[in-house]
Amino acid sequence: MIGLVIVDDHPVVRDGLRGMFAGDDRFEVRGEAADGREALAVARAADPDVVLMDLRMPGMDGVTAIRKLREQGCAARVLVLTTYDTDSDVLPAIKAGATGYLLKDTPREELFRAVLAADRGESVLSPAVAGRLIGNLRSPGQEPLSARELEVLGLIARGCTNREAASRLFISEATVKTHLLHAYAKLGVRDRAAAVAAAFERGLLGGS
């Protein structure tokens, strides 16, 4: 029987996952947590084989929790289960030590197989995530952002709307949107928040 800890900030998600695994005698849910910090304490107490980890949570996020679980010597495999599949989510989680990465629309039987595989130490990736990682490996020399794209992202990072960024840079709002779309493509993301996060992570906006 594989011992599980479920980490997600949404009670409905935790309830659904707990009920799903409780109905299969191959698994035992030993604990739950609503954020990364609570996950560290629960994992210490429950000694699970596999931790199902959400990423975007208030307080301590999933990537930080994965890293700290490794630092505190937790032997459990961590299987990310999240809604997000952007590079800015996937790559940090894998680098932090996640054994696998699945999306929340994964069918029940596939999730069960993934947990069994993770318990064996096998890497498990959803098709979308695998495609992103392969694409990232195939294009290590990604086109750099232009000075104007960095200017636009910098303003967005400071909370400017597209209209405000256009006014400050003396360009049209449509041009701002074009620069953002080009930045998204170069960073491998799909939205403003992910673009800003990826730019900070790569040191493009002077932070981390």
Side-chain angles (χ1 to χ4, degrees):
M1 185 175 287
I2 296 174
L4 293 172
V5 163
I6 298 169
V7 185
D8 197 290
D9 60 324
H10 292 99
V12 171
V13 174
R14 296 198 305 274
D15 288 347
L17 289 171
R18 182 178 63 249
M20 185 187 303
F21 284 103
D24 191 305
D25 59 12
R26 293 173 294 178
F27 308 104
E28 176 190 22
V29 178
R30 296 181 184 172
E32 300 175 23
D35 60 38
R37 193 172 304 282
E38 187 179 356
L40 300 181
V42 172
R44 278 194 298 269
D47 190 26
D49 301 301
V50 176
V51 176
L52 287 176
M53 181 75 73
D54 192 15
L55 289 185
R56 300 191 188 182
M57 299 178 287
M60 184 184 293
D61 62 81
V63 170
T64 303
I66 294 169
R67 188 162 50 245
K68 288 188 176 295
L69 282 171
R70 294 290 165 259
E71 290 172 356
Q72 71 180 29
C74 178
R77 312 289 186 179
V78 178
L79 183 59
V80 170
L81 186 62
T82 185
T83 306
Y84 306 98
D85 66 349
T86 64
D87 284 358
S88 59
D89 291 297
V90 175
L91 298 178
I94 299 298
K95 289 177 182 177
T99 298
Y101 196 114
L102 296 178
L103 301 181
K104 286 182 178 176
D105 60 0
T106 300
R108 175 195 303 247
E109 290 305 318
E110 285 186 28
L111 179 56
F112 286 173
R113 286 196 294 271
V115 171
L116 292 168
D119 181 57
R120 296 191 297 267
E122 300 172 10
S123 294
V124 186
L125 301 172
S126 73
V129 170
R132 280 194 168 277
L133 289 177
I134 291 171
N136 188 272
L137 290 173
R138 285 177 176 170
S139 57
Q142 293 177 331
E143 185 182 355
L145 270 65
S146 69
R148 183 61 94 183
E149 288 160 1
L150 287 172
E151 284 182 310
V152 170
L153 268 184
L155 290 172
I156 298 302
R158 291 196 289 272
C160 288
T161 64
N162 287 359
R163 179 173 297 179
E164 290 167 341
S167 176
R168 294 195 186 192
L169 296 174
F170 302 102
I171 56 179
S172 70
E173 192 172 345
T175 301
V176 167
K177 291 179 181 178
T178 298
H179 285 312
L180 282 174
L181 288 174
H182 288 167
Y184 294 172
K186 292 177 181 179
L187 294 169
V189 299
R190 298 179 182 177
D191 57 51
R192 296 157 63 97
V196 169
F200 272 120
E201 181 185 344
R202 299 182 191 187
L204 300 178
L205 296 179
S208 60

